[in-house]
Amino acid sequence: MLKNREFLRLMSARWKVMSEIERSPYVKLAEADKKRFDDDVKKFGKYESRQRRYNKSRHINSEILGHNNPYMAGAHQYPATATGMLYNGGF
């Protein structure tokens, strides 16, 4: 399987050695696609990608980590070992 760069290199070399007659069907397709694109831009407006915004204020709810959570019950009682430090916020 070819990597993208290798594939593009081969296609570029092949395109360069093609005659105008061999290229003409592809040029016609490209022109038709350009016309379709321009018509779509007129009809729908130009598409502009937007940078995704991630919620920077995401945080773990204190109730999840708090003493009200039955899964974390007694976690504050662990000794100062790796497990205790993990649950007590030592890491």
Side-chain angles (χ1 to χ4, degrees):
M1 181 172 226
L2 292 176
K3 292 184 177 180
N4 193 31
R5 176 178 269 173
E6 295 166 349
F7 175 77
L8 291 174
R9 190 175 292 143
L10 290 172
M11 291 296 103
S12 175
R14 185 173 176 188
W15 181 259
K16 288 178 183 178
V17 297
M18 291 174 90
S19 69
E20 290 295 322
I21 296 171
E22 292 173 318
R23 288 184 187 182
S24 65
Y26 303 107
V27 172
K28 288 178 185 175
L29 288 172
E31 289 170 355
D33 195 41
K34 172 84 169 112
K35 183 182 180 317
R36 182 195 56 80
F37 174 78
D38 290 339
D39 292 342
D40 284 350
V41 168
K42 288 177 188 173
K43 188 175 181 180
F44 301 110
K46 188 173 181 180
Y47 173 78
E48 295 180 15
S49 64
R50 292 182 290 165
Q51 184 178 8
R52 290 185 178 175
R53 291 184 173 183
Y54 294 100
N55 187 356
K56 292 181 182 179
S57 65
R58 280 190 284 178
H59 62 279
I60 299 174
N61 190 342
S62 61
E63 290 183 13
I64 294 172
L65 295 177
H67 301 294
N68 296 335
N69 187 336
Y71 296 105
M72 297 296 288
H76 60 284
Q77 298 171 2
Y78 286 114
T81 61
T83 306
M85 291 177 70
L86 175 66
Y87 286 112
N88 291 323
F91 286 127

